[in-house]
Amino acid sequence: MKYRFCFLLLVLAACSKQLNENPQSQVTPQFFTTAQGFQSGLDAAYGGMRSLWGTENLFTLACIGTDEFQTGNDGTGNAVNYYSSGYTPADGKVSAIWTSCYTYINTCNGLVDNAASITGISATQKAEMVAEAKFLRANYYFVLVQFWGNVTLNLHFQAVATTAAKRDPKADVYNFIIQDLKDAIAGLPASPVQGGILPGKATAAAATHLLAKVYLTRGGSSAAATDDYQNAYTLATGLINNSGTLGLGLLPDFASINQEGNESNKEVLWTVQHTTSLAYNGSPTQNSSGQDNVLVHMWVPKYETYVPGMQRDILDGRPYIRAIPTRWLTDTVFADKTNDSRYSKTFQTVWYCNNAGGIPKWPATVPAGVDPSLAGKPKFTLGDTACYMPGVDVTDAKIAATRYLLMPPRKYNIQMGPYMKKYIDTRRPDMNAPSIRPVIVWTLGETYLIAAEAAYNIGDAPDAVKYINVVRERAAFPTGNAAAMDITAAALSQDFILDERSRELCGQMTRWLDLVRTHQLLVRVKAHNSDGRANIVPRDTLRPIPQAQMQSVTSGPAYGPMGDPLWN
Amino acid sequence: MKSLRCVCILTIYLLMGQALSAQAPPGATVHGIITAGGSPLPGVSIVVKGTTQGTTTGEDGSFRLSVARNSVLVISHTGYQVQEIKVGNSDRTVNLSLTESRSDLDQIVVVGYGTRRKSEVTGAIVSVSAKAIQDVPSANLTQALQGQAAGIDIQKSGGGSHPGQSPSILIRGSRSVKAGNGPLIVVDGIPFQGNIDDINQDDVASVEVLKDASSTAIYGSRGANGVILVTTKRGRTGQKPTVSYSGYAGFTKWLGEYPMMNGPQYLELKKWATYIGNPGVYTGPDDPNLINGSFIALAPEERQGIAIGRSTDWQKLVYRTGIMTDHQVGLQGGTDNTQYAIGAGYYHELGVYPGQGFDRYTVKLSVDQKLGNFVRLGLSSLNTFTRTKGENVNPMGQALRASPLVSPYDTTGKLINGFLPGSANQVWNPLADFLPGASVENRHRLGTFNSIYIEANLWKGLKYRFNGGAEIRSDIYGNFYGKNTTNNLGVQSTATNATTETTSYTLENLLIYDKTIAEKHKINFTGLYSYQKYSTQNTTFSYSGVLSDQAQYYNPALGFNFQATNSSDNNSLRPWALISYMGRLNYTFNDKYLLTLTMRSDGSSVLAPGNKYHLFPSAAAAWNISRERFMENAGKLSSLRVRASYGQVGNPSISPYQTLGSLTTQTYNYGSTNTTGLYPNAAPNPGLGWEYTATANAGVDFGFFANRLTGSVEFYHSYTKDMIMPVTLPPTAGIPNQILTNVGKSENKGFEIHIAADIIQAKSSHEVSWSADVNFFINRGQITQLLPTLTTTLDGKPADIADKWFVGKPIGSYYDYQRTGIWQATSADSAAAKALGQTITGTKSVIGQAKIADRNHNGVIDAGDMMVVGTPQPRWEGGTTQRIAYRNFDFTLVAFARIGGMISSTLYGGGFASTMQGNYNNVNVAYWTTQNPTNAWSAATSAQTNPPNHSTFGYFDGSFLKIRSMTLGYTVPSSFVKAMGLRTVRFYATAKDPFIFFSPYRNKYHGIDPETAGTLNLDTPASWSMLFGLNVGF
């Protein structure tokens, strides 16, 4: 009996406070309004650039399907390369770029919107950080407006879920970009190579270059303003003229611009960073996915299976062979392989035997011209040439009698051909690993070409030639005849400028956009790209609004066509 | 009828440990020994019919009772058939052998917050006895339950057979696409947060599975996927201390090899692949230039292999014979006031691949104590320590792709610790992982689960009970893979450390009121207030380039490139709390009409403020028809009752913080300055709530031939609403993660039959007895509503193509193209293919490849031609246990079947074993060639990484009947045993998982085992075991 009632006291009182959540391990959107959150948001906005430069997505949309590159052996599944019927708004590469841009634009918007109310950061520092955010935001929007034209313009941070969206005229988008870049130029440090600026950081020099390019691009679009080319010219030539004081300048040797380990050279205005510290490099598992820099793999041909005596190694790379150069690029654009050093500095044309076990033997009956005593003996030894592409035709007899694989241009195929080597990375941890090299986005070399293109469009060809010739003369280094590289105003044309951009910048995530800007995409794909020439139609000067976007706008007006006679 | 009721009441009293004090007028004295199967049976109730007078047998099975003359004694014991003995006029000796009852309606069933007699149960509950569990020597409790109960679908996850792996449990099908379909586990009344397989199956006294909403409504927000109640063994009143030992040991063998090509077959494949993949280059597969040309990738070692006729069976090299052993020691006993049960167990298993192993150590204790006449309290403690080795080891990626033309050893006989020749630097020697210290993976889990109760009789029929439960789990995981292993392919060593600590406590206050009014109206009310707090925290990080391989994962200071990712599981602290109020009223009229009303209110921390509470109501009724007067002469029909229930329960699908929105990390660097940024990836979601499932259930329980044949049939229809569906935001919203909304609906309906029969009853132990349990069940599930904003349809009904959810189809349906054959090299097929826009020349030619039906007749093969090609939902499932005994021998067979239902096999329809490219070894199929114009398999071609529409080759009928176990036991005669000073001794031999029948996948396509929950992955093959065991009672 004595135990009977005391147990009623065990009834526990729990109040509703027990049901409140205190998320210690999860960072919620409120964090963005703190000084700590402000810094981390800016770092993320920079990091988001890795979703663009360095990925197969941007590489595919900007490099393949142009006059420069077409589909390689392992890219044949990508309908976008061909402009074929399988290329639809559902294309994953198209939507990946679209999505990344908007995700990080929202991050930038959060920074710009919250800046005023954030305490704990000095006004100077805050202003500089806002300028960085605007530089990044302008970059993201510039990618969007170039690929898609009329796109959604989010001016402010969106913290809550919405299923509504509308498209805005590209004129508004351009205006927004231009204002952002003007603000950025005003607020950013001047030069990437002065004042201890960290690699990859936004600078006024980079913003100036970008703004020049934005004006140049808008000048070629239906949203053009009358002074666009003039503004582009003023900005580009201004940057060139100031380059000395900014510590910037063209390198004497074209090869050293893209040389491994030299990505912070004085010609480089802005890079998207990668690092030897693998935990910070890209995808968590470094498996060439997500935000890894995979440009190192994209052009690597199938040397390991195609070339006897070769096996995979870190120097020659991992054969993704998504793209091969068009014959127009290797044979016509780079026709001058004597004075212009850029072909040999852009393409790898020789492979050295690295697999003793795979060295072929001369047959019992040796081909004509081969010493009969060599019959049955190995054709070459470790370290010897295993494959060579002379760039000119040779006879079949010569091929048969050559101890290594001799490949004249007529033998180039989707498995094996000249290899675009700007992204070679020998310091990767493994032959299959993604690159640890920063991706060079804007260079002063391109500033010269922008200045030239702007001058040409203004109508001042002689002035344009001045800027082009600087770049061309440099290309003669070290053994070419620099004077022979010079062109005259009479020789200058839009086509020449485009060809010169190829020689200088091929493979650098800009070609498709260059062709659209100059209205040459259809013309040149039809002329030089055997994959796409039969399929390309006018709507292909824009990328399709991703199906994911169209379908997920489920409230408000549909995300439909906006005056575009093209895709949408 | 009256006597039966008395027995029932008595049984309840006995279960509560209430000893009876009998005051009977003098008459005759009856004494004797009650036995079962030759052994004395303690705790048997002997009651004078029509009274409450009686006794129970002692440890030696003996009893003594003085009764009035001409009394009738009712002798009953849970799990045995009730017998009646007429006493007569004089003293008498009654030695009786009780027969096991296959289904006793007076069996006590655990129902959650209490127990009920089976005849009083109004919901759909299935009970699995300790004996049934122990009939199947198993690695874990879930495996032991497989095939034992209707409506419970237990399958190996992904077909994996790693030691220590837990199968998946589905009760009455899948109802949720996002929120999970796993049931709630309750152990000794307290919600159990660990894995059900952390419970030693030898400590289990019974398992009850609550299936309908009326039964699970007492668990409110957590009842939607069914509830599994596990009751552990406890000591009994008046039980002398008894010690028991049971154990077994045996070996485990792989059930088969994946059907890969041998050397010559592989070479032939290479030739065909190269010939077809390079159109116009070769004259045919026998062109000598093929071997000598530059297109065929043949390493020198492969050429040598061809020359010497080498054909390496890589699987033979990686498999080994595994071990399975189990030892259990138990001690049980009790006096009137104190009862106890102690158990200790050790289970050890080595898998069929080196590096895989599992050990489990368990200690269990329970004590019940009576304090005075009104208070009881008790404690139960379950402690488990497990060690899993190599849980992710999967040698198949390398072993199946390795060229059979090469040897794992180099010319000097040394193991190749690197890429195998002829693999394009993709296939690492799988044997390299076996080198000491090369590959290490350990998981140590320690769990302690403790519950106490205090029960006090406050007033007449009013009882208060406090339940407290506390659970602490630690899970320490580490792995290390050396540079030269299949994991790291010569790049650099990697290591991972993960630590999880989980704590949970539950406090429950119950008021129970029992009252019988005017003899016929029985009222039982249970009121509950409970609070549960759960918290789990995890730290996970990985690193690479470990300075000293010897350090493995034990010293992170020796590593570089640290990475820690933040997700809902990793590097997080996730607490939640649940406050619940529950009331349940049971009303019984004259034992004929029964009514149960339940209401539970749950308040949860994971829901947004203002949204936290929800009410879960249910009602159930039953009618014991056989107690009606008109049924007294029902002949062979000995019992009959009908039941019906309806209620609503929830699925607690939302993780902590999920309504708050989140930022996620983004790494970056500025030169050598590394940063981790944060950006918004999930929007706040204050409107998110639980999924709700309402179930209507109707059941019939019946017994024939004096209950020698009993069974039940259940019909149910469940409706799930507010099903959590992800909404993809437009990318322009700037927030990449999907947001969850409560919009979908699904339904499940089905029926279940369970039959138990004593087919042959032995009159004495010298005769054959045969009893059987059979269950059979059908479930049909379908999604009935998706996001209203969906614009895509399939056959006119809304369809979420991206997620493969289709209105009118079950969850998990396979959506693919319909393959009607292979495009043949005929002019008719060429023309037809061309007309459909297919390429018929060059490297992309479809000739020899899958012929896809133009389902929507639009003249091209496009995404619009895809369809639901099948569903994993079986036509029916069932299981059976057959027990045959003769003299001292017993034989038990447990089997289960899953008939119909499609499986998707990565052996054929994806993955790395069927690329048909000729680069790597391939599954051995009679592929298409010009000489073999089959319609079954596509041609080999080196020009494509995988056959076009590869996945269409991977669908198979998943039917099978599996012999789960066959056990032959021999019980040593008791005279013999007694002489040795023992109580019982039994030897047995068990073949575990020995046979699979009626499996087209296994029989026709040489797959190993079709059992899988979802896709059948390429992993450690299924195994079978031969075990030899011993049970001893001291």
Side-chain angles (χ1 to χ4, degrees), chain B residues 27 89 92 105 191 240 259 266 413 444 463 611-612 661 729 796 906 909 946 958 983 991:
Chain B
N89 291 324
R92 196 179 155 186
L105 284 180
K240 275 186 192 160
Y266 177 52
H444 292 186
K463 214 160 59 174
N611 233 347
K612 289 186 183 288
L729 300 179
T906 43
N946 279 305
R983 202 159 46 86

Side-chain angles (χ1 to χ4, degrees), chain B residues 574-657:
Chain B
R574 305 249 142 188
W576 55 256
L578 190 68
I579 294 174
S580 310
Y581 305 88
M582 190 276 285
R584 176 176 61 198
L585 178 72
N586 287 312
Y587 168 73
T588 308
F589 175 72
N590 206 11
D591 276 355
K592 283 185 199 162
Y593 310 104
L594 302 97
L595 182 69
T596 303
L597 299 172
T598 310
M599 183 76 90
R600 173 150 170 156
S601 168
D602 273 356
S604 169
S605 65
V606 301
L607 301 181
N611 233 347
K612 289 186 183 288
Y613 279 89
H614 189 82
L615 263 184
F616 300 92
S618 83
W623 178 23
N624 282 332
I625 302 174
S626 49
R627 301 215 166 154
E628 297 288 354
R629 196 167 290 274
F630 61 81
M631 285 293 290
E632 275 179 6
N633 298 311
K636 294 186 165 59
L637 181 61
S638 45
S639 70
L640 182 67
R641 54 197 238 101
V642 294
R643 293 175 275 110
S645 71
Y646 185 80
Q648 191 205 51
V649 281
N651 189 343
S653 33
I654 300 158
S655 312
Y657 312 153

Side-chain angles (χ1 to χ4, degrees), chain B residues 214-450:
Chain B
S214 158
S215 312
T216 64
I218 49 170
Y219 293 103
S221 62
R222 291 189 283 182
N225 294 328
V227 179
I228 295 181
L229 303 177
V230 177
T231 309
T232 62
K233 287 175 180 165
R234 301 187 94 92
R236 283 197 302 264
T237 307
Q239 183 183 18
K240 275 186 192 160
T242 56
V243 177
S244 60
Y245 164 82
S246 67
Y248 60 77
F251 62 83
T252 298
K253 292 281 239 188
W254 53 102
L255 203 53
E257 284 190 18
Y258 291 101
M260 305 306 288
M261 290 183 173
N262 63 22
Q265 288 163 339
Y266 177 52
L267 179 63
E268 191 67 13
L269 176 84
K270 266 185 178 296
K271 288 179 179 172
W272 275 106
T274 311
Y275 164 57
I276 293 179
N278 296 281
V281 177
Y282 301 103
T283 56
D286 301 323
D287 188 333
N289 288 329
L290 258 176
I291 294 285
N292 303 322
S294 61
F295 286 113
I296 196 162
L298 272 177
E301 292 84 349
E302 289 183 295
R303 293 178 190 278
Q304 184 214 1
I306 295 165
I308 63 170
R310 183 189 290 139
S311 184
T312 304
D313 183 347
W314 287 94
Q315 291 184 75
K316 252 203 184 82
L317 294 171
V318 301
Y319 300 154
R320 66 159 185 203
T321 301
I323 291 171
M324 227 177 134
T325 183
D326 185 61
H327 302 281
Q328 305 286 337
V329 180
L331 167 65
Q332 287 185 36
T335 63
D336 279 357
N337 288 328
T338 311
Q339 299 89 42
Y340 58 90
I342 298 169
Y346 169 61
Y347 173 80
H348 171 70
E349 184 182 350
L350 291 178
V352 298
Y353 179 71
Q356 297 180 333
F358 179 72
D359 293 299
R360 187 180 64 202
Y361 302 82
T362 56
V363 175
K364 193 255 167 172
L365 165 72
S366 68
V367 179
D368 299 276
Q369 175 69 42
K370 207 165 119 183
L371 292 177
N373 285 329
F374 301 103
V375 177
R376 284 176 60 77
L377 52 85
L379 161 88
S380 162
S381 177
L382 274 75
N383 302 283
T384 308
F385 177 69
T386 63
R387 262 195 322 225
T388 312
K389 283 185 183 298
E391 65 185 39
N392 290 308
V393 166
N394 184 2
M396 292 305 135
Q398 316 295 327
L400 300 188
R401 283 197 297 170
S403 167
L405 297 171
V406 303
S407 159
Y409 304 98
D410 65 16
T411 46
T412 65
K414 215 173 121 236
L415 189 77
I416 297 170
N417 193 3
F419 289 114
L420 289 172
S423 70
N425 286 346
Q426 296 290 312
V427 181
W428 198 265
N429 187 348
L431 303 183
D433 286 357
F434 303 167
L435 295 172
S439 195
V440 181
E441 187 186 24
N442 293 312
R443 185 182 294 279
H444 292 186
R445 288 160 56 83
L446 176 64
T448 173
F449 177 82
N450 303 287

Side-chain angles (χ1 to χ4, degrees), chain B residues 498-519:
Chain B
T499 309
T500 310
E501 184 196 65
T502 304
T503 58
S504 171
Y505 67 90
T506 306
L507 304 171
E508 294 178 341
N509 291 282
L510 288 123
L511 275 178
I512 302 148
Y513 182 64
D514 269 302
K515 177 82 178 167
T516 305
I517 302 164
E519 292 198 3

Side-chain angles (χ1 to χ4, degrees), chain A residues 327 331 392-399 407-413:
Chain A
R327 289 289 300 281
D331 301 0
V392 293
D393 201 15
V394 289
T395 63
D396 285 350
K398 174 92 189 286
I399 292 171
M407 292 183 73
R410 65 187 165 90
K411 292 283 187 184
Y412 298 167
N413 59 64

Side-chain angles (χ1 to χ4, degrees), chain B residues 2-11 13 20-25 45-55 65-74:
Chain B
K2 216 173 172 189
S3 66
L4 199 58
R5 201 175 77 200
C6 292
V7 173
C8 300
I9 292 165
L10 260 174
T11 316
Y13 275 150
L20 284 169
S21 59
Q23 292 284 321
S45 142
I46 296 134
V47 180
V48 179
K49 193 169 180 179
T51 72
T52 55
Q53 183 196 351
T55 186
L65 187 65
S66 296
V67 297
R69 291 176 183 186
N70 295 322
S71 298
V72 174
L73 296 185
V74 178

